[in-house]
Amino acid sequence: MKPPSFEYHRPAGLAEAVGVLADLGADGKVLAGGQSLVPLLNMRLAAPHALVDINRLGAELGGIRVDGDEVRVGALVRHSELLREGPHDALPLLRQATGHVAHETIRNRGTTVGSLVHADPAAEMPAVLVLCDGSMQLASTSGTRTVPAAEFFLGPLESALRPGELAVSATFRVPPGRTGSAWVEVSRRAGDYALCGLGLTVTLADDGSVAGARAAYISVASTPLLVDLTDVVAGAAPDAVDWAAAGEHAQARTEPEDDIHATAEYRRHLVGVLTARAGRAAREHARSRPSTPELALAQESKSQGTRDA
Ligand SMILES: Cc1cc2nc3c(=O)[nH]c(=O)nc-3n(C[C@H](O)[C@H](O)[C@H](O)COP(=O)(O)OP(=O)(O)OC[C@H]3O[C@@H](n4cnc5c(N)ncnc54)[C@H](O)[C@@H]3O)c2cc1C
């Protein structure tokens, strides 16, 4: 299948890119890794007048940086780079989730920020952004604005990005000390979009009891769904948490729909089972996590130094 014809722009810098996007308005679409956009073009499900290829903007849009308690991922960071480079100590959930994104060949081209803008309710990274209280940085000729994750995902394949804007980075917040995380999902074949999946964090208090837990689900709502499980788990000893009850709590807050891949009933069942599975895994992970974010960040700098050496 071939795409409809389109105008092709390949700006050499960020200022030029946002200028071109401003001129094009709703007629322009950014081309990043092309792993979602090109199939849509080929299937004629999208027919933009012009594509603005940002792949020459690596100097301005590349790189993963830890700034204070935030991890900033530039718009040209590929899934595979995030998986390889981390930051694995400061924010292990990034690696835990990215390993489930598509297949290696797709991860080599597809970008994390592209996946966020694409806003597929079955994609992993939007849920991670929501769970990490992250945000998106969006540039245009009027300047840069920051949109919190909770306001960015508006519906299936619909985000708060406006015509003329370029997403320059995504920022994920480093979790509190003693926070463990896990990503679990079920898909029909390895690498396929999940029928249901979730990221879950468990935070332990200084006395070792569970202080809180949160989960963000994919493929069970039109946007990533954040569920706070704290009321069900807080105060319990880690081994005494009733994870089945946490799963039921989450099930009561989801309204999945039937589609050709799975019934709503099966997806709701998965929410319960996978919440319990992720809860136990995140609890174990929490036991090995540093007691403060500062210690996690110090560990990260040490690991980065070893990787760079
Ligand atoms: C067979 C297959 C299986 C897949 N499985 C999964 C999966 O299991 N999980 C998953 O999460 N993803 C999956 N994907 C999608 C993949 O992760 C894509 O890489 C990702 O969704 C989009 O990233 P991209 O860089 O390729 O974006 P593109 O395809 O280039 O763009 C996607 C959309 O985002 C916009 N966009 C991209 N970057 C920017 C930017 N910086 N600023 C403004 N707009 C931008 C584009 O205009 C377009 O509308 C799969 C893809 C394929 C082909």
Side-chain angles (χ1 to χ4, degrees), residues 29-39 54 75 79 100-103 106 109-111 113-115 117-118 122-124 161 165-167 191-193:
K29 269 255 172 233
V30 170
L31 174 69
Q35 299 303 298
S36 295
L37 183 55
V38 172
I54 59 170
H79 298 301
H100 292 271
V101 174
H103 310 270
I106 291 160
R109 281 305 293 172
T111 62
V113 167
S115 172
V117 174
H118 191 56
E124 287 79 3
L161 187 93
E165 282 185 325
L166 173 69
D192 278 6
Y193 280 105

Side-chain angles (χ1 to χ4, degrees), residues 105-158:
T105 42
I106 291 160
R107 292 198 294 263
N108 284 339
R109 281 305 293 172
T111 62
T112 302
V113 167
S115 172
L116 293 165
V117 174
H118 191 56
D120 191 321
E124 287 79 3
M125 301 321 284
V128 173
L129 194 77
V130 167
L131 187 54
C132 295
D133 295 321
S135 60
M136 298 291 290
Q137 289 72 51
L138 310 176
S140 69
T141 48
S142 321
T144 303
R145 67 184 180 114
T146 295
V147 180
E151 294 164 27
F152 188 69
F153 303 105
L154 304 180
L157 308 188
E158 192 189 352

Side-chain angles (χ1 to χ4, degrees), residues 60-116:
E60 287 157 295
L61 300 183
I64 305 163
R65 281 206 322 274
V66 182
D67 282 339
D69 67 346
E70 289 181 339
V71 175
R72 186 174 294 259
V73 178
L76 278 178
V77 172
R78 316 285 165 181
H79 298 301
S80 55
E81 185 183 345
L82 192 61
L83 197 54
R84 202 175 52 242
E85 307 289 334
H88 307 313
D89 293 304
L91 193 38
L93 183 60
L94 286 179
R95 174 154 67 173
Q96 291 166 339
T98 305
H100 292 271
V101 174
H103 310 270
E104 204 169 342
T105 42
I106 291 160
R107 292 198 294 263
N108 284 339
R109 281 305 293 172
T111 62
T112 302
V113 167
S115 172
L116 293 165

